[in-house]
Amino acid sequence: MEVSFDLTIAWALLLAFAVYVYVVLDGFDLGIGILYPFFPEKQDRDLMMNTVAPVWDGNETWLVLGGGGLFAAFPMAYAIIMPAVYPLVIAMLLGLVFRGVAFEFRWRAAGRFAEWFWDGAFIGGSLVAALTQGMILGTLLQGIEVDGRAYGGGWLDWLTPFTMLCGVAVVCGYALLGACWLNWRVAGPAQHRIRVLARTFGFATVGFIGAVSLATPFLEQSYFERWLAWPQILEVSPVPIVVVGLALWLAKELFDERNDWMPFAISLALFGLCFVGLGLSMWPYVIPPEVTLWDAASPESSQLFMFVGAVILVPIILAYTIYAYWVFRGKLGHGDGYH
């Protein structure tokens, strides 16, 4: 696999970084919504939401950066991918909107119906956003039909067993991130139930990672040759080996219960390795197996102009994000929080 570094690759790496940061940061606060049904008491739900109330909207900055960067740096890919997944993108945005409104309105809910409605909006919005994000990933992996420089498929090509598998896998993965985050940030009796859920969703997530990994090589010939043909298998074999090692380490830490922060850190690393595996599968295509990164790239002068801005802005966003998490650090108990 030959790699030559240029501005197009730099943009691809920058967008991959933005999407990864979005997935892990917004992933755990979406995971809290997915875990809500396991905690019916209002005081437990208030505590869970208070752990992310100061930072959740900042997490979605990275989604804007990823989407905007794709439009600016790879306009042809944006023009082909979006029509292929319009229903999923619309559902995802509606889910994020309902969830965001519920974040603020549930604190002012007066009466049982209003509490039930806004808690339902928070749960449903989180679940729909997670499921559709996984299905968009599955649609990209299974391939998108291209006709010239435009989308050539149908309105429902995204609806397949593989995309459903990816959607459920992301729901479980976000629930794991949410449980590990809460295990780190929550004190008291609720932490015991959270740790039990983290073990359950940890096993489920590792199982789904295995299922998606086994199915992916059979989607495209290039995937099969990269992951299962000799001698290419030697180049990619460290990824599944390290995934197994991290999964065993995660199980040990979830049962050990001495370092509350460690399961969250290992889960972030597990998601990072999944991103590496995704990149290895798709390389050098942005839309497998039709459009390469260079086919879809904007003119070099445009990429350079925008890259200078990104190099200035990304460190500022990173600094703001780190500062926000530092200010609101520490464990919370019932009655503590931002609201």
Side-chain angles (χ1 to χ4, degrees), residues 59-81:
N59 294 343
E60 294 182 356
T61 304
W62 297 94
L63 178 63
V64 177
L65 179 62
L70 180 66
F71 174 74
F74 302 99
M76 180 179 168
Y78 186 90
I80 295 172
I81 293 172

Side-chain angles (χ1 to χ4, degrees), residues 93-105:
L93 294 177
L94 287 174
L96 292 175
V97 168
F98 265 88
R99 178 174 161 277
V101 173
F103 241 108
E104 302 301 332
F105 276 60

